[in-house]
Amino acid sequence: MTQDEIVALLTGKIKLVRTELGYTQDKMADILGISKKTLVQIEKERIKASWTVIVALCALFRNSEILNNTLGGNPLDVLEVVVHQYVARSKEKTWGGHVWWKEIDSHKGYRLQQNVISQHYRILDENHYRIYSSFEEEEAKKRLKEI
């Protein structure tokens, strides 16, 4: 996925997220740092949300069922992989990939999975901790074999 694809995908979800949480347009506009007029234009899909608005939406509403279902998991994880190309960091606990993930490969107890919605890849250890994420399949497979 690209930034433009995420903006296009999530622009149409802003109203759903707002109603999911029971916020007025005034409150949602204030939270996202935009005018009510701009929010109305976005919700009516007359304009697309900016990347900054989408990042704020994902950060501030990362627990939204709508965002999680749209992106196949934590929206911040998807955004992070999009902007950095890959993520390799200290271990982060996951649920093991029972909902949005399909198993691609395994090596020495580590598993390479692909998200069925966003299509990005991740490597989990035997305790379901994420140790790597990327949209590049070959790079993810290479990292898996290096472990």
Side-chain angles (χ1 to χ4, degrees):
M1 294 183 104
T2 65
Q3 287 182 2
D4 289 339
E5 290 169 333
I6 289 175
V7 166
L9 184 64
L10 295 184
T11 291
K13 304 295 184 189
I14 292 175
K15 183 176 182 179
L16 293 173
V17 171
R18 179 176 66 77
T19 56
E20 173 187 33
L21 299 167
Y23 287 146
T24 65
Q25 287 179 324
D26 287 321
K27 178 71 173 172
M28 188 69 155
D30 187 49
I31 290 169
L32 294 175
I34 58 177
S35 69
K36 180 181 176 182
K37 180 180 176 182
T38 300
L39 179 63
V40 169
Q41 296 294 315
I42 292 169
E43 286 187 354
K44 291 185 176 187
E45 297 190 44
R46 293 182 181 149
I47 63 172
K48 287 185 181 178
S50 68
W51 175 249
T52 305
V53 169
I54 295 301
V55 170
L57 178 77
C58 290
L60 297 170
F61 303 105
R62 65 187 162 276
N63 294 324
S64 161
E65 286 186 40
I66 291 166
L67 293 178
N68 277 271
N69 290 334
T70 301
L71 294 173
N74 185 327
L76 290 178
D77 290 346
V78 176
L79 295 187
E80 194 174 32
V81 174
V82 167
V83 298
H84 296 294
Q85 313 306 293
Y86 72 91
V87 178
R89 67 164 86 99
S90 60
K91 295 179 177 184
E92 180 178 317
K93 183 74 170 170
T94 70
W95 290 358
H98 299 291
V99 179
W100 296 298
W101 298 89
K102 67 179 177 181
E103 199 85 14
I104 301 296
D105 198 0
S106 62
H107 180 70
K108 296 182 181 176
Y110 292 87
R111 297 175 293 143
L112 175 63
Q113 297 179 330
Q114 183 179 28
N115 187 287
V116 297
I117 296 174
S118 68
Q119 300 297 302
H120 77 282
Y121 299 88
R122 71 181 183 182
I123 298 173
L124 301 181
D125 69 9
E126 62 278 354
N127 295 314
H128 309 304
Y129 281 91
R130 180 178 58 145
I131 60 171
Y132 180 81
S133 296
S134 174
F135 273 101
E136 301 297 323
E137 180 178 10
E138 293 307 315
E139 184 63 27
K141 286 180 175 179
K142 178 182 166 190
R143 290 282 183 118
L144 179 67
K145 298 304 178 194
E146 290 173 353
I147 295 174

